[in-house]
Structures are given as structure tokens and as C-alpha cells.
Amino acid sequence: MTDKRRGEVIQIDNEQGIGIIIDENGQDIHYRLDTIPNDIELNSKVTFEIQLTAQGLSAMNIEVENEKILVRSV
């Protein structure tokens, strides 16, 4: 069973190959850089699944949310 969550990327550590997403509950979820899309950046809004590993909770199947901006003419 997987748990789908939403969150925001708060850390990308290219040197160590890991990063952190903070979910909607304020919980830090770690991920490996080799499991993320190429277009991910700091502050990206993402959806992801949780997997319990020996090191704790880990984000898997990370997808970047595309924000839609509605522009109205006045």
C-alpha cells in the first residue's frame, strides 16, 4: 500500500545525491536524486509516494506539479 502526499522541495544536495521534501504535515521526507525528474528545483511543488526504508521514510515516484496561472484581462 502506498501513501500519496504533496509537498515542497526544500533541499537538493548534488554532492551526496540526496534531498529533502517537506510534506503538508511539516514532516521532512528524504529522497535520492536519481529517483527524481530532471526539471525539479528548490521550492518545486511535488506529489510523491512514501516508502519505509531502513533509513526511515523515503519519497518515491516524485512528480513535479505544474502550477496553472489564471490571467484575467481588466
Side-chain angles (χ1 to χ4, degrees):
M1 184 171 136
T2 59
D3 181 11
K4 195 77 162 178
R5 296 191 188 184
R6 296 179 71 210
E8 182 177 335
V9 176
I10 61 168
Q11 182 178 346
I12 299 173
D13 187 338
N14 290 312
E15 212 170 277
Q16 294 191 14
I18 59 172
I20 299 174
I21 297 170
I22 189 164
D23 73 4
E24 294 175 316
N25 300 321
Q27 187 173 17
D28 290 350
I29 310 293
H30 293 80
Y31 66 90
R32 295 193 45 77
L33 292 182
D34 58 4
T35 64
I36 61 170
N38 291 335
D39 58 345
I40 204 162
E41 302 176 344
L42 281 178
N43 304 317
S44 291
K45 305 289 187 216
V46 294
T47 57
F48 56 97
E49 295 175 0
I50 295 294
Q51 184 176 50
L52 183 59
T53 66
Q55 292 79 29
L57 294 178
S58 183
M60 306 298 283
N61 300 322
I62 301 167
E63 297 176 4
V64 176
E65 291 184 358
N66 294 323
E67 292 186 36
K68 296 178 182 172
I69 300 173
L70 180 61
V71 178
R72 293 185 185 176
S73 59
V74 179

